[in-house]
Structure formats: structure tokens, C-alpha cells
């Protein structure tokens, strides 16, 4: 290798943004300005407590580097998001969807790759950052994303950074205690959390409970495998029990947004996740109720659908490591 | 004047922290490190739509400078807090307690003093910053102060800065929509805001309403001029109707705190204001209910009484201008 090639090789020109989901891992190779160069998707091997996941990722990412005629020595940093809480931007105590327990993700990745600068973030927070950045909202100083999927995810972006909070609980909107007097527990053991009413699982649960307790007739009464989509579709067609449940979910999402406003007063709410595919039907209902509830001064806050879909994660992950590299003293 | 005196005079060695209340204005003269050098208090002349307030302040502040043998040319900056919402760190559209309407406070002060760098902040936010700074919490990255007085004030401190939000509504805890289904309006015209239940005025209002509607007997039934202190004292002595109202206020404050935690997950809550003088009785009840409700990960968040009392305002005001001078590009 001649010396010019050698020096090119030693330059750290690449970044990775890696989005680890319960089914697939998305791996993006980026340049230092966060432009996506290549992308791969591999299955998430959750067997054996997910012990192959990290090495699978390292192997696959290395292939992306090989395709650029280089290796790990040219990687300036790696941003990783995981479907669970992250402590101190590197440690996962428990990640049910991956089978993980007590893993220092940064340390493992460092051992596998030799890359020093690694940051690990929660997937919903990463999606929020990716959506803010690549969804065209970079001029917005404060944005909150609510991901309405099987569960609920949240992310608070302030001045281009994810807010983690003192104990990593910032933006934990799945467990936003919207009904403090609830007697039925959330999966976490506490009570009355937003996901109990407004996640896809929550909507199905509340709907079945309503049919059982009130013996109401619904077009879905004979359907054993009801999904949130079925219920939203039924609500849209005017089915009364379905409408009640969807209205209640909308109300609680909007209430949560109005409460968030009294704390950090964001300029923009982004609604993402599978349930957002119901599009304007849900969005307009959420907007209307939010504007009814929110402080007068903040009535101009925008409520928009997220547009980045599945790609938000890798962008948020790479933006997280870009933030870390930019200012190692600031929260990533 | 010799040249050394001249150059000493031209050095900008002083800062002002000014806390404008509805009854008095506190004016602090500080050095550039935020050490209080002198303090004065003058009455707030609210007559004639408060048009004398600014010139009274300028006159009084100038006397403090004279006592140091100098004048406005040695003032590096002025931080001012006011009892109302502030737009863009300088503009007040309405400040009921001062009689003000549509005043550019920074501009007026600049005309009166010739000082270029001036920042105006809300008084509750200023108190939060002052309390965080001088109350011994500078190592705490995120703190929220709740001021329980006649009304309710709030302030969110992140990395040593007040969070204002996109529309100035961040930390607006008086209007935290804690009971979205309330039918009785708040003074602002919307419904179910924290101050309707948990401010001194709110507690008195709820208590009187309870006595009227339930015709319950209370030790306070014959008292026409009930104060929140009377009700808290009665609750402490076991008076059932008073206890119900105080318990409800405590619950709603703790619920708000748990909700705030799901958004920004602060390390510390500071409880201040006149009602905090009930001390451990209220504080312990709030702590207990908060810990019952809050996310497991954030159970170690601390809940403390504010200690700076009336001085928090001038310290927060001077810290605000110090922040502005330190980094004019960052939120003050």
C-alpha cells in the first residue's frame, strides 16, 4: 500500500447508524456529514438471550466497510439504538424484545470493532431525533415525537439533542401517568399509563373490556382476533363502541400533549408509528382536542405526522453519535 | 479624573439582578461573578398603569452605582424578572399585578440607563434559576421548581438555563391541565388547571365549594375569611373537610410532578412559595404521593423545600443576564 492510500485508510471518514429492532437490525453507513452511503438489514437473532446480535451486527457492518475498501480503522463513531431503556448512553439492564439483560452495549461493540466513540440510545428517542433532523424540522428548537405502535414511544428533542433526563426517563411517554386513579396496572406495575389506553395493544384491550362489561353490540363483536386497525376502521365507519374507545385514546394522547406543553412548550409534535397510518382521521382528532386543551399562548404549536417511517432510527442513531463527537461534554 | 480612574470607570464591573413584584421591587447590585454587593428594596408604584415603575428602578439602581463611585457606564448587564409572562426575553404583553400592557421592558430600561445587555424573565422561572444556583444545586443538571403561593409558579432548569419553550409556556405549572374534564374554568378561560386546586386561592375556593355543596361541618365553617393556612392547619388537626381539600391539592401536585418526570425526568423538585411554609407536613405528603406515582426508574428524584425565600428572584435575574453574556447565542 502506498503512503497516500495508507493515509486515506487511516482517516476516519465513516459513521454508523444502527437501529436494533426485535425482528430486524438496520445498519446504515454514513459519511461524517450524516449522508447515508449504504444500508443493510439483517434479522435479529434473539435466541440464546440475544447473544449473537452484537457480533452479527459487527460482521455485517464490517462488510459495508469492505465494500468501501476499508475497515474499522476508518470508522469515526457508531450510534446504536435499542428497543428499551438505556442507562448513561451505553448500558442496557433489560431489553425484553432482544432477550438482553445487563449488557454494556458500547463496551461490547468496542471490543468487536475497536471503535472508541460509541453511543447507545433508546429507539423511540432515536426515531424522534432522526425525524426531527431528516424530516425537515432542523429549524425547530423543541420538538416532541410520539410513536403510536404496539406500545408507545416518546422522544423530546431540544436544540438538536435528545433529552434523557436524570434517570433516563425523559420522554417515556408510554408510561405517562395520564389516569392517576386507575386501578388496573400497566405492564410496569404502576397505574394508568398512556399505553394502557392509546397504544395498539391498549386500544384492543380497552375495546374487549368494554364489550365484555357493557355487552355492547359492535360490528367487531364476533371477531376473535381484533386489531387496533380493525377498531379504528370500525370507529371511522361509525361503530359506537369502537368510536368510544378511539375517542378516549385520542383524548388521552391530546391531554398528554397539553401537559407536555406546560412543561417544555414544544413548537412541534410529531405523531409516528404504525397507528399513525390511520393518517388524517386520527391526526385531525388529536389536533382538535389538543388545541382545545392547550394553553392559549401555545395554540400555534404544530401537530404533524412523521414522514421518515422505518428510516428514522438509523438517522437518529447516526445523529446521536455526530452530536457526541461534536461536543463530548454535552448530552448526546 | 486621572487616566487610571478613567479606565476603572470604563470597565464594566457590575451587574444588576432586579425582581419586580406587585408590592415591592428588589434591586441587587452584583459583581461579574454574581456576588451580591448591595441590595435595595423600593415600593412598586402600580398607579397610572405602572408607568413609574421603570424610572423608579433606574433611579434607585443608579444610587447603588453612585455608592460605588460609578455610573451606568460600568454596568455590564441587567437581569429583570416580572410577575407575568415574558415574550422573547424582553416583551410583556400584559402584567396584571403591575398594570402593564404591551411594554418592551428591555427597550425602556435601555433608554433609561444606556445599558445594552438586558434580559427579562418571568418571576417564577427566575426564582427557579436563583434557587438552583444559590440553593446549592449547581451540580444538578435538571431541576423543576414549583412555587405554591397565592397562585402557582413553575420553572424548569436544564443545564443551568431556564427553559422557555417555543411560545414562552414552558414551566407554566399554574396552568398545568391536571383535570382535563373539569367544567369550572380557570381564570385563563381554559379548564382544570393546577392552580384551581393547589394554589392558596385554589384551596380556599375548593374548600368553600365543598362546604357549600356538601354542607359538611368543619372547624372553619363559621369563618368568613378563611385562608389557605387556616385550611392546612385545620387539616393537620384532623378536620375532615379541610383534610380532603389538602389531600386533593397534594395529590394533584404530586400527579403533576410525576407527569413532568415522564417528559424531562428531573433530578430534583424544589417546592417553594408561601404554602411551602407549612413545611414537612405538606412536603412529606407530596413526596409520598409522588413516589407512589412516578416511574420506577425515577424514584430517586429528590423533592426538597426551597431555601432562598425572597432572594431567589434577584439571584435568578442576575444569573439570567450572566448566562446571556456568557453565550449570546444560547437561550438565556
Amino acid at each position: 500500500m502506498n503512503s497516500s492510500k495508507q493515509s486515506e485508510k487511516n482517516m476516519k471518514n465513516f459513521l454508523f447508524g444502527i437501529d436494533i429492532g426485535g425482528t430486524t437490525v438496520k445498519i446504515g453507513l454514513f459519511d461524517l456529514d450524516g449522508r447515508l452511503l449504504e444500508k443493510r438489514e439483517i434479522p435479529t437473532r434473539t435466541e440464546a438471550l440475544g447473544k449473537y446480535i452484537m457480533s452479527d451486527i459487527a460482521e455485517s457492518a464490517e462488510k459495508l466497510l469492505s465494500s468501501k475498501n476499508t475497515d474499522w480503522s476508518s470508522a469515526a463513531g457508531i450510534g446504536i439504538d435499542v428497543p428499551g431503556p438505556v442507562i448513561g448512553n451505553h448500558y442496557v439492564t433489560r431489553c425484553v424484545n432482544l432477550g438482553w439483560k445487563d449488557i454494556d452495549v458500547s463496551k461490547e461493540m468496542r471490543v468487536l470493532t475497536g471503535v472508541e466513540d460509541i453511543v447507545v440510545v433508546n429507539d423511540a428517542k432515536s426515531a424522534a431525533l432522526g425525524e426531527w433532523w431528516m424530516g425537515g424540522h432542523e429549524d425547530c428548537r423543541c420538538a416532541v415525537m410520539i410513536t403510536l405502535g404496539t406500545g408507545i414511544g416518546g422522544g423530546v428533542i431540544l436544540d438538536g439533542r435528545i433529552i434523557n433526563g436524570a434517570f433516563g426517563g425523559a420522554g417515556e411517554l408510554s408510561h405517562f401517568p395520564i389516569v392517576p386513579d386507575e386501578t388496573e396496572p400497566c405492564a410496569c406495575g404502576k397505574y394508568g399509563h398512556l399505553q394502557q389506553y392509546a397504544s395498539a395493544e391498549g386500544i384492543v384491550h380497552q375495546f374487549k373490556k368494554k364489550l365484555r362489561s357493557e355487552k355492547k353490540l359492535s360490528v367487531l363483536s364476533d371477531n376473535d382476533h381484533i386489531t387496533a386497525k380493525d377498531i379504528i376502521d370500525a370507529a371511522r365507519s361509525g361503530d359506537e363502541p369502537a368510536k368510544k374507545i378511539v375517542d378516549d385514546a385520542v383524548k388521552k394522547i391530546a391531554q398528554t400533549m397539553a401537559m407536555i406543553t406546560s412543561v417544555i412548550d414544544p413548537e412541534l409534535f410529531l405523531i409516528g408509528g404504525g397507528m399513525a397510518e390511520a393518517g388524517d382521521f386520527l391526526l385531525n382528532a388529536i389536533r382538535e382536542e389538543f388545541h382545545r386543551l392547550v394553553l392559549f399562548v401555545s395554540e400555534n404549536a404544530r401537530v404533524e405526522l412523521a414522514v421518515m417511517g422505518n428510516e428514522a432510527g438509523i438517522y437518529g442513531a447516526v445523529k446521536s453519535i455526530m452530536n457526541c463527537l461534536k461536543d463530548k461534554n454535552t448530552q448526546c
Side-chain angles (χ1 to χ4, degrees), chain A residues 12-15 32 72-78 115-117 321 325:
Chain A
K12 294 190 178 300
N13 289 327
F14 298 104
L15 294 168
L32 296 183
W72 284 113
S73 67
S74 67
I78 304 172
V115 176
E116 192 54 37
D117 290 307
I321 188 65
L325 293 172

Side-chain angles (χ1 to χ4, degrees), chain A residues 238-256:
Chain A
D239 183 74
E240 209 45 53
K243 207 170 162 310
K244 281 234 166 86
I245 295 300
V246 174
D247 283 354
D248 186 65
V250 163
K251 265 179 80 169
K252 288 186 166 61
I253 293 164
Q255 287 167 6
T256 300

Side-chain angles (χ1 to χ4, degrees), chain A residues 179-186 191-193 196-197 206 209 252:
Chain A
V179 187
D181 297 327
E182 175 66 79
T183 52
E184 190 180 0
C186 175
Y191 296 84
H193 291 178
Q196 292 180 256
Y197 316 93
Q206 297 297 337
K209 202 165 112 178
K252 288 186 166 61

